[in-house]
Amino acid sequence: MAIAQRGPIGVFDSGYGGLTVLKELANRLPQYDYTYLGDNARAPYGNRSFDTVYRYTLQCVEWLFGLGCPLVILACNTASAKALRTIQQNDLPRIAPDNRVLGVIRPTTEMVGNYTHTGNVGILATRGTVLSESYPIEIAKFFPELRVYQQACPLWVPLIENNEHDKPGADYFVKEYMDLLNQQSRDIDTVLLACTHYPLLKDKIARYLPPGSRLISQGEIVATSLADYLHRHPEMETRCSRNGQILFYTTDSTEDFNNHASTFYGKELQSTHLPLN
Ligand code: DGL
């Protein structure tokens, strides 16, 4: 029997946000190799149609498979909400039946009920993620008694991608969406940052939450879930290469990516350009 070639774990996002997840994966599971792809040339995905997000995501997943990744994490809620299921059910059996694609929504929804005391959970996400209803549907499977309040924050990703999140102008838009969330219920005590970009706004968002509330980022949760997945799937774990190497690709300018990425990743990095066809 031929021994399957080992390869890096692929990590995909529309742009920079997935770097907040990759950072936690590399902290928690530093022994593996990772290949990150940011589709910066076509970001943001948040307001795009289902069909467009699906096509872009599938193209990027196929590219990561082509690079030898046996496992790809969609470190993007919008892609997880709009493309993951179709890719898992329709495309994988055809293009790479032995490979796997995982998202960030399921691991988070499995955990969120453990944080709340009031049973009222807020979801902050892109418009696409909110409209998909993925969070209320998935949370109901694990914690049917929870009340879930969603708020789309369409201007936050552009602010973050344009490096405006630390500036006073961002406060206006943080307040605007947090007011809308808080108007939905006064009893929300747990708020999930259901967009991998939003941890960069965490401090500003926290100002609009009652004392004692929990504000949850996904990175650590996804890292714990990946560790568990690899433990439960030795057939996949043995296909993941282990040299502790991380490579970065972007579909847009490498200069921009290198300059901006450290804000999300916490250290400097060098990327390679991936030309889109
Ligand atoms: N980082 C993506 C997410 O988690 C969204 C960014 C975008 O709109 O492209 O939803």
Side-chain angles (χ1 to χ4, degrees), residues 13-18 42-47 75-79 104 126 129 157 161 194-197 218:
D13 181 50
S14 58
Y16 299 104
R42 301 184 292 197
Y45 280 12
N47 291 334
C76 172
N77 287 269
T78 310
V104 288
T126 65
T129 299
V157 168
E161 293 263 321
C195 171
T196 53
H197 283 65
Q218 294 175 305

Side-chain angles (χ1 to χ4, degrees), residues 53-112:
V53 172
Y54 161 65
R55 279 189 297 109
Y56 289 175
T57 304
L58 178 59
Q59 190 183 10
C60 291
V61 165
E62 289 192 289
W63 187 83
L64 286 164
F65 284 169
L67 220 79
C69 299
L71 173 66
V72 172
I73 314 289
L74 302 185
C76 172
N77 287 269
T78 310
S80 298
K82 294 187 166 191
L84 178 63
R85 188 173 295 253
T86 312
I87 291 175
Q88 284 175 331
Q89 293 180 353
N90 296 356
D91 299 298
L92 263 190
R94 180 175 53 82
I95 59 174
D98 294 332
N99 288 359
R100 291 291 173 265
V101 181
L102 304 174
V104 288
I105 295 180
R106 170 91 187 238
T108 324
T109 55
E110 278 175 3
M111 299 293 296
V112 72

Side-chain angles (χ1 to χ4, degrees), residues 125-137:
T126 65
R127 188 173 279 147
T129 299
V130 167
L131 290 177
S132 77
E133 293 281 326
S134 299
Y135 273 93
I137 292 169

Side-chain angles (χ1 to χ4, degrees), residues 58-207:
L58 178 59
Q59 190 183 10
C60 291
V61 165
E62 289 192 289
W63 187 83
L64 286 164
F65 284 169
L67 220 79
C69 299
L71 173 66
V72 172
I73 314 289
L74 302 185
C76 172
N77 287 269
T78 310
S80 298
K82 294 187 166 191
L84 178 63
R85 188 173 295 253
T86 312
I87 291 175
Q88 284 175 331
Q89 293 180 353
N90 296 356
D91 299 298
L92 263 190
R94 180 175 53 82
I95 59 174
D98 294 332
N99 288 359
R100 291 291 173 265
V101 181
L102 304 174
V104 288
I105 295 180
R106 170 91 187 238
T108 324
T109 55
E110 278 175 3
M111 299 293 296
V112 72
N114 301 334
Y115 297 99
T116 173
H117 297 295
T118 64
N120 294 281
V121 173
I123 306 291
L124 299 169
T126 65
R127 188 173 279 147
T129 299
V130 167
L131 290 177
S132 77
E133 293 281 326
S134 299
Y135 273 93
I137 292 169
E138 288 297 317
I139 289 173
K141 289 181 190 161
F142 301 107
F143 302 100
E145 70 286 0
L146 293 191
R147 286 164 298 281
V148 179
Y149 303 91
Q150 301 195 90
Q151 181 57 49
C153 314
L155 287 168
W156 285 1
V157 168
L159 277 173
I160 295 165
E161 293 263 321
N162 289 292
N163 223 359
E164 293 288 325
H165 53 281
D166 275 339
K167 307 206 177 128
D171 294 347
Y172 175 86
F173 293 103
V174 171
K175 179 176 184 325
E176 175 165 313
Y177 297 135
M178 290 309 292
D179 283 350
L180 290 171
L181 178 69
N182 288 326
Q183 280 161 23
Q184 294 187 52
S185 167
R186 292 172 172 207
D187 298 322
I188 296 170
D189 71 343
T190 300
V191 172
L192 177 60
L193 300 177
C195 171
T196 53
H197 283 65
Y198 295 174
L200 272 79
L201 285 171
K202 202 168 181 176
D203 293 344
K204 287 188 195 281
I205 294 168
R207 288 182 205 149

Side-chain angles (χ1 to χ4, degrees), residues 3-39:
I3 297 171
Q5 192 101 20
R6 287 173 184 249
I9 297 169
V11 180
F12 166 71
D13 181 50
S14 58
Y16 299 104
L19 291 167
T20 63
V21 175
L22 175 61
K23 184 170 69 176
E24 299 300 336
L25 297 180
N27 274 342
R28 173 75 194 255
L29 301 164
Q31 66 272 38
Y32 296 109
D33 297 333
Y34 299 91
T35 296
Y36 183 87
L37 172 58
D39 190 7

